[in-house]
Amino acid sequence: MALIDNGVYVHGRRVETPKNLDDTYRIMDSVGGTAWIGLYRPSPQEVESVAREFDLHPLAVEDALSGHQRSKVERYGDTLFAVLRPARYRDEQESVEFGELHLFIGPDFVVTIRHAESPNLVAVRQRMEANPELLAMGPEAVLYAILDEVVDGYEPIVAGLLNDIDEIEDELFGDSDDDALSRRIYELSREVINFQRAVHPLTGMLEWLRRGSDKYRIDEELQRSLRDVLDHTIRVNERVDSFRAILDNALTVQSALVARRQSEVSLAQNDEIKKISSWAAIIFAPTLVGTVYGMNFDVMPELHWAAGYPLALGAMAAFAVALYGVFKYKKWL
């Protein structure tokens, strides 16, 4: 069902809960109250009905129907159109799941269009209805409450990302698999970048709203509340920026460690090759002499010498010792 909650408020208190949009429009005309319409994945016909009643700008309506918008806020006459990207952290997958929330804020109406489960606007509405003085400040108070809920929802994501980064730092100088760790750092960096895209525009959006507060006669207390949300948003942005820098450094360190390990393996292999080659050369020299004298020829100059055998053995030993000394000097052995 697209119409999740629907209320008409007078002086911050709910006076009616219409069952459909047509009843909402009729009751608004009769009591002169403010409507808060909550829609969840509405049909184009439902969005067009709201657009006709509240004279919403076609471009904003097109964005609300198509979805997949970046975080932004735009003003069309007396109507504000805002797109927010609420999110939640899935710890098992180490991923950030993003939603999309569209808001139309007018002089006497609030229309929220959700394209995902989060944020929990039921909790926002209950909070506002429990504080009629705040709700009586008008639709801008609802905008503040929703912004506050979305930004508060970023805190668990920051905590989850921080925990994963701590684990990566522990693994970085441990015995973890290099390929798996590099992949984990890269994937977490991608999640942080996507989170930045959702959070970064909020600072400019809140600054823009703050600058227009006097022009549109926003209550002073509500302005303070918006500044508090802005401060919170700036802190989240700073943390996320630091996460990206840490992960970039971690990926650089991991690449350096992998290169060093590969270099160490290559050096170790070279040392082994040198040792094998050295012993092969040492063994080859006596083998060469023995092979020559092992040939079946009668006419050989040293064949009938009495000293021929000990000289041949001495030559073998001399070659071996000489080669051993040379390789030892070159630190091949």
Side-chain angles (χ1 to χ4, degrees):
M1 185 175 179
L3 189 61
I4 300 300
D5 202 349
N6 185 20
V8 178
Y9 300 84
V10 176
H11 303 304
R13 300 185 184 275
R14 186 189 288 233
V15 296
E16 292 285 350
T17 304
K19 295 182 179 179
N20 55 60
L21 294 175
D22 290 335
D23 287 347
T24 303
Y25 310 147
R26 177 179 54 79
I27 294 169
M28 285 180 65
D29 291 337
S30 63
V31 302
T34 298
W36 183 351
I37 302 170
L39 300 174
Y40 176 64
R41 292 180 178 173
S43 66
Q45 292 76 18
E46 289 164 323
V47 176
E48 290 295 341
S49 172
V50 172
R52 286 193 302 272
E53 178 65 24
F54 298 125
D55 193 25
L56 304 180
H57 196 279
L59 291 177
V61 174
E62 182 182 347
D63 286 345
L65 286 171
S66 61
H68 304 291
Q69 303 294 315
R70 60 179 178 83
S71 299
K72 63 180 179 179
V73 62
E74 296 171 340
R75 180 173 287 279
Y76 298 96
D78 291 335
T79 302
L80 275 176
F81 173 63
V83 180
L84 303 178
R85 299 299 306 275
R88 61 178 180 175
Y89 191 65
R90 303 177 66 88
D91 188 56
E92 293 181 1
Q93 293 82 12
E94 292 187 355
S95 63
V96 182
E97 183 180 274
F98 295 95
E100 189 168 339
L101 176 63
H102 297 175
L103 298 96
F104 293 93
I105 309 294
D108 58 353
F109 66 87
V110 176
V111 179
T112 62
I113 301 175
R114 284 192 295 136
H115 292 277
E117 294 295 330
S118 61
N120 185 2
L121 295 184
V122 173
V124 176
R125 193 185 289 259
Q126 290 173 347
R127 169 191 167 193
M128 295 295 288
E129 290 180 350
N131 188 355
E133 293 78 11
L134 178 60
L135 190 52
M137 293 179 185
E140 291 82 3
V142 177
L143 174 60
Y144 149 71
I146 293 175
L147 283 166
D148 189 44
E149 179 71 18
V150 170
V151 175
D152 283 347
Y154 290 152
E155 279 297 334
I157 301 173
V158 171
L161 292 172
L162 179 59
N163 181 68
D164 291 330
I165 289 172
D166 289 341
E167 291 178 359
I168 285 174
E169 289 178 337
D170 291 338
E171 294 177 12
L172 199 57
F173 296 98
D175 298 326
S176 59
D177 178 70
D178 288 333
D179 291 340
L181 182 56
S182 297
R183 187 181 305 110
R184 185 181 183 189
I185 295 173
Y186 172 77
E187 291 176 350
L188 196 59
S189 297
R190 184 181 60 190
E191 296 301 323
V192 169
I193 291 171
N194 290 334
F195 189 36
Q196 280 182 312
R197 291 171 181 166
V199 177
H200 272 189
L202 281 179
T203 302
M205 291 166 60
L206 287 162
E207 287 281 7
W208 184 80
L209 289 171
R210 186 181 62 82
R211 288 194 298 269
S213 296
D214 293 334
K215 179 180 179 181
Y216 293 96
R217 299 177 182 177
I218 305 301
D219 184 89
E220 183 65 29
E221 188 62 32
L222 189 56
Q223 291 186 43
R224 293 192 187 98
S225 299
L226 283 172
R227 283 196 294 270
D228 182 67
V229 177
L230 174 59
D231 291 341
H232 194 177
T233 303
I234 291 172
R235 288 196 299 270
V236 172
N237 270 313
E238 289 173 349
R239 296 297 300 277
V240 176
D241 290 343
S242 69
F243 290 166
R244 184 168 182 181
I246 290 171
L247 288 169
D248 286 344
N249 290 336
L251 195 57
T252 301
V253 171
Q254 172 66 2
S255 300
L257 290 174
V258 170
R260 190 185 73 178
R261 291 184 187 123
Q262 291 176 343
S263 177
E264 289 174 350
V265 170
S266 178
L267 289 173
Q269 291 174 342
N270 287 339
D271 290 340
E272 293 298 322
I273 292 172
K274 289 177 180 179
K275 289 180 181 179
I276 294 171
S277 301
S278 299
W279 285 113
I282 292 170
I283 295 171
F284 173 74
T287 302
L288 178 63
V289 176
T291 301
V292 171
Y293 282 94
M295 292 187 292
N296 296 320
F297 292 105
D298 288 332
V299 183
M300 294 182 69
E302 303 87 357
L303 188 61
H304 300 289
W305 289 4
Y309 180 67
L311 284 174
L313 292 179
M316 294 180 191
F319 278 129
V321 170
L323 289 174
Y324 180 83
V326 171
F327 293 136
K328 193 72 173 177
Y329 175 76
K330 291 182 175 292
K331 297 182 180 180
W332 283 29
L333 289 175

